[in-house]
Amino acid sequence: MQTFTYERVRTPAEAAAAAARTPGAKFLAGGTNLLDLMKLEIETPAHIIDVGKVGLDKIEPTPAGGLRIGALVTNTDLADHRTVRRDYGLLSRALLAGASGQLRNKATTAGNLLQRTRCPYFYDTNQRCNKREPGSGCAAIAGYSRQLGIIGTSDACIATHPSDMAVAMRALDAEVETVKANGTTRTIPLAQFYRLPGQTPHLETTLEKNELITAVLLPPPVGGVHIYQKVRDRSSYAFALVSVGAILQQDGSGRIAVGGVAPRPWRVETAEKLLPAGAKAFTAQLLQGARPTKENAYKLALVENTVAAVLNEGKH
Amino acid sequence: MDESNDYLFSRREMLVSTTLAVTGLALLNVTGAEAAPVPVSLAKVSFAVNGKPHQLELDTRTTLLDTLREHLHLTGTKKGCDHGQCGACTVLVNGRRINSCLSLALQHEDDAITTIEGLGTPDKLHPMQAAFIKHDGYQCGYCTPGQICSAVAVLAEIRAGMPSHVSASLLEPPRATNMELRERMSGNICRCGAYSNIAEAMSEVAGKDA
C-alpha cells in the first residue's frame, strides 16, 4: 500500500471542505472496497478523509412518506430495519444476498453504491484495463468474460457493477442526495447516477469531484410482491451471474431491474409494459441491443429464465 | 576505523563492503538515483482491546489486523487472504463481527474490540470454544479463531431477530437451523472442511441459549 496522510472529520461540510483543499484525497467510510484496492495499489490516494464518524447513520421517514437512509447506514442495519423489511422487502433481500455477514457489518449505503467493478482484469495490475489505466486497452473482451457484461458495455469496457443493493434501489426509484465541495446539495435519481463506459470507463458516476453522498432517498412504498432472485456459482458469498429484482402487482404490472449484466443496474421502464405478456417478450425488449461475448452469451437465456421464475413465484 | 590502516581490511570486511556496495547499486537501479524516500505518515488512535485501553501511534496504513498481531502481540487473530475473502481475521467491534484485514486501525477511535483472546481463556473457555472442541470443529486450526468469533456473533444476530438470505420470512424471528447457520457463516472459509462440525458446535450453543 502506498503511504497517505489521514484526517478524521466530524461533519459532511468539513469533509467536503477537506477534500477541496487536498489534492488526491479520497473519502473513506467502511473501507471494505477502497482498502482492498489500496492494498493492490489500484487506488493510491495521497490523503484519506475518514468520514466514518460524521453521523449520517440514521434511517428516517420523509415528509413524502418515504425513507431517508443516511449514507453511513451499514448494509446490515439497512437490511434489518423494520420499515425496510416490511415495506421495501426487495431492498432487504438484495442486501442479504450480497457479500458476507462481516462485510455487511462494515459496508455502508453510499460505499455500496460506489464500489468498483470486480472484473478480474481490473484487479490484475499486470493486465490491460481501460478503467484502471485509461487508454491501455481491455484484456477482458477477448479474455475470460463469462461473468462480465452483455449490455450497456462498450469496446473499451465490459465490466459489470457488482452491487445487489443498487439493483433493488433502481427498481425502487431511489435518489442519491449529495453535498458538493462548495456546500450546495442536490439529489440525483439513481437512474442518472451511473454513467455507461463509452470511451471513458474510468468515469463511473455523475458525481462531481469531491462531491459527497449524504443519503439515499426512497419514495413511498408501492406495495406488491418483492422478490430478489440471484443466480451465482455458489449459493452464498458470490457475485451474481445474473440477478433479478422485482416488484410485482396483482394486476400483472410490475418493475424489474437486473444485475450482473451491465455497468449499472439494468432497468428499461418501457419493457415493463410487456410484463403481462410474459418473460420472453419482456426480456427481448429489456436486452435489446445486447452485445455478449462468446463466453457470456448464456446470460441472455439466463436472464429470461430467471425472469420467468420470478414472475411465476410472484403468482403464488 | 583509523584512516591510516584502511588497507588492512580483513577478507571478511572486504566481502561485506562489496556486498553492501552491490546492494546499494541494485537499490539505485530500482528506485532511481533521485527518488527521495517517501516519508511514512503517522497518526494516533485510541481504542480498547478485550477491555484494555490502548493509545497507539501508527503508520496510517496499518490495518486493525496488523495492529492486533504485530503491535499488541495478540496473534490469535489470523491473517489468511488479507482481502476480506476468507474470514480468518474476524474480530468483534462493538459486538459486531468484521474482517479486521479490511479496516484501518485509525478507523477504530473509541471502539471496543474483542478478539479470540478476549472471549475465553484455556482455563475458562467461552461456551463456543468448548463446543468447537467437543464437536471437532477444526483440523489445522488456522481459521478457528475467526470461525469462533464469527459464530458467537451469528448467534447474537439470530437472537436479535436479524433475517438472512435463507430466512423464509423477513418479519418472523429467524431460528438457528442448520441452513441459517451455514448461510450466515459463509464469510468464514475452512480449507480442512470442518463445516459440518462447526455447524453442530453452533447448534449446541444455540440450543443452550434458547
Side-chain angles (χ1 to χ4, degrees):
Chain A
M1 201 186 304
Q2 302 223 348
T3 189
F4 55 86
T5 50
Y6 172 92
E7 76 179 294
R8 275 181 211 111
V9 291
R10 296 288 161 190
T11 65
E14 258 185 63
R21 71 170 173 263
T22 327
K26 278 234 169 228
F27 298 120
L28 176 72
T32 53
N33 189 213
L34 181 57
L35 287 176
D36 193 19
L37 294 168
M38 285 166 66
K39 288 182 182 194
L40 298 166
E41 300 194 348
I42 293 167
E43 296 275 12
T44 53
H47 184 68
I48 285 287
I49 300 163
D50 186 346
V51 297
K53 307 217 167 167
V54 300
L56 302 179
D57 57 354
K58 305 276 186 305
I59 302 174
E60 299 159 319
T62 63
L67 277 188
R68 183 176 187 279
I69 302 158
L72 294 176
V73 172
T74 64
N75 288 182
T76 296
D77 286 337
L78 184 54
D80 184 49
H81 191 269
R82 199 73 201 166
T83 309
V84 176
R85 282 153 67 178
R86 189 189 62 213
D87 297 336
Y88 303 93
L90 173 60
L91 181 54
S92 279
R93 286 292 182 196
L95 283 159
L96 294 170
S100 66
Q102 289 96 317
L103 290 168
R104 292 193 297 270
N105 279 341
K106 195 91 184 324
T108 64
T109 305
N112 187 311
L113 290 177
L114 292 175
Q115 66 183 305
R116 312 290 305 273
T117 181
R118 261 57 176 193
C119 174
Y121 298 92
F122 173 74
Y123 266 78
D124 183 347
T125 50
N126 296 309
Q127 301 281 353
R128 291 172 298 130
C129 172
N130 288 319
K131 192 186 275 298
R132 177 165 36 74
E133 207 176 312
S136 63
C138 172
I141 290 171
Y144 178 74
S145 61
R146 70 179 280 275
Q147 290 172 300
L148 299 173
I150 58 173
I151 194 162
T153 53
S154 72
D155 292 337
C157 184
I158 60 168
T160 53
H161 195 270
S163 170
D164 294 292
M165 184 194 81
V167 175
M169 293 286 200
R170 179 69 180 87
L172 289 163
D173 284 334
E175 293 184 313
V176 180
E177 182 193 278
T178 70
V179 59
K180 293 186 194 180
N182 65 10
T184 59
T185 61
R186 64 168 173 159
T187 56
I188 309 165
L190 196 64
Q192 290 154 33
F193 183 74
Y194 294 109
R195 294 168 187 257
L196 292 181
Q199 291 309 303
T200 53
H202 58 292
L203 303 175
E204 295 174 351
T205 71
T206 51
L207 289 178
E208 290 177 15
K209 198 169 184 313
N210 303 329
E211 190 171 3
L212 181 73
I213 298 176
T214 48
V216 173
L217 304 170
L218 294 182
V222 295
V225 178
H226 290 222
I227 300 170
Y228 189 73
Q229 183 71 53
K230 183 173 179 179
V231 184
R232 42 186 160 172
D233 284 334
R234 58 178 184 227
S235 60
S236 186
Y237 198 16
F239 291 103
L241 297 171
V242 162
S243 70
V244 173
I247 302 172
L248 304 173
Q249 305 294 350
Q250 279 195 327
D251 63 3
S253 67
R255 309 167 173 199
I256 288 187
V258 176
V261 297
R264 64 184 183 204
W266 198 252
R267 181 178 173 201
V268 177
E269 277 85 342
T270 51
E272 289 167 0
K273 294 190 179 71
L274 296 169
L275 279 173
K280 196 174 182 69
F282 164 76
T283 309
Q285 175 103 25
L286 177 79
L287 298 181
Q288 196 173 41
R291 298 194 320 161
T293 65
K294 214 182 222 177
E295 285 200 359
N296 68 20
Y298 73 94
K299 288 193 179 189
L300 296 169
L302 192 56
V303 172
E304 185 184 318
N305 292 343
T306 310
V307 168
V310 163
L311 293 179
N312 196 39
E313 189 183 334
K315 286 177 189 150
H316 295 294
Chain B
M1 187 182 292
D2 187 336
E3 274 182 37
S4 60
N5 55 9
D6 262 358
Y7 62 93
L8 294 174
F9 264 23
S10 72
R11 182 165 183 270
R12 181 184 170 82
E13 281 169 330
M14 185 63 193
L15 279 173
V16 170
S17 331
T18 312
T19 312
L20 284 174
V22 171
T23 314
L25 281 175
L27 281 175
L28 284 181
N29 283 341
V30 172
T31 57
E34 282 129 50
V38 181
V40 167
S41 177
L42 300 173
K44 289 180 179 163
V45 66
S46 307
F47 50 64
V49 182
N50 303 329
K52 190 176 163 196
H54 292 278
Q55 293 188 320
L56 299 163
E57 186 169 35
L58 299 165
D59 184 323
T60 52
R61 294 170 289 186
T62 317
T63 60
L64 179 59
L65 172 61
D66 286 340
T67 305
L68 293 170
R69 288 183 56 85
E70 310 299 333
H71 294 264
L72 304 180
H73 308 295
L74 292 166
T75 53
T77 307
K78 296 294 187 270
K79 183 181 281 194
C81 68
D82 211 24
H83 287 280
Q85 295 170 8
C86 76
C89 68
T90 303
V91 298
L92 307 179
V93 174
N94 306 326
R96 292 218 169 163
R97 54 186 172 137
I98 67 160
N99 301 113
S100 62
C101 74
L102 283 188
S103 204
L104 294 176
L106 297 175
Q107 290 176 269
H108 292 284
E109 182 72 12
D110 297 332
D111 281 348
I113 295 150
T114 305
T115 68
I116 190 71
E117 291 92 342
L119 281 182
T121 64
D123 298 331
K124 196 168 187 287
L125 294 175
H126 184 281
M128 191 65 77
Q129 291 172 313
F132 265 61
I133 293 171
K134 180 177 166 190
H135 291 275
D136 234 353
Y138 52 85
Q139 284 181 47
C140 81
Y142 195 81
C143 72
T144 312
Q147 297 277 4
I148 290 176
C149 285
S150 203
V152 167
V154 161
L155 296 193
E157 288 160 19
I158 293 174
R159 278 198 303 275
M162 294 181 175
S164 85
H165 173 61
V166 298
S167 304
S169 163
L170 289 175
L171 301 175
E172 303 293 318
R175 291 170 41 239
T177 62
N178 187 269
M179 275 301 289
E180 283 280 0
L181 299 178
R182 283 168 176 268
E183 160 60 25
R184 290 168 193 262
M185 290 295 287
S186 69
N188 290 83
I189 310 299
C190 171
R191 267 186 63 160
C192 305
Y195 298 112
S196 60
N197 294 356
I198 290 170
E200 281 174 25
M202 291 177 69
S203 293
E204 181 178 301
V205 179
K208 281 180 185 162
D209 280 356

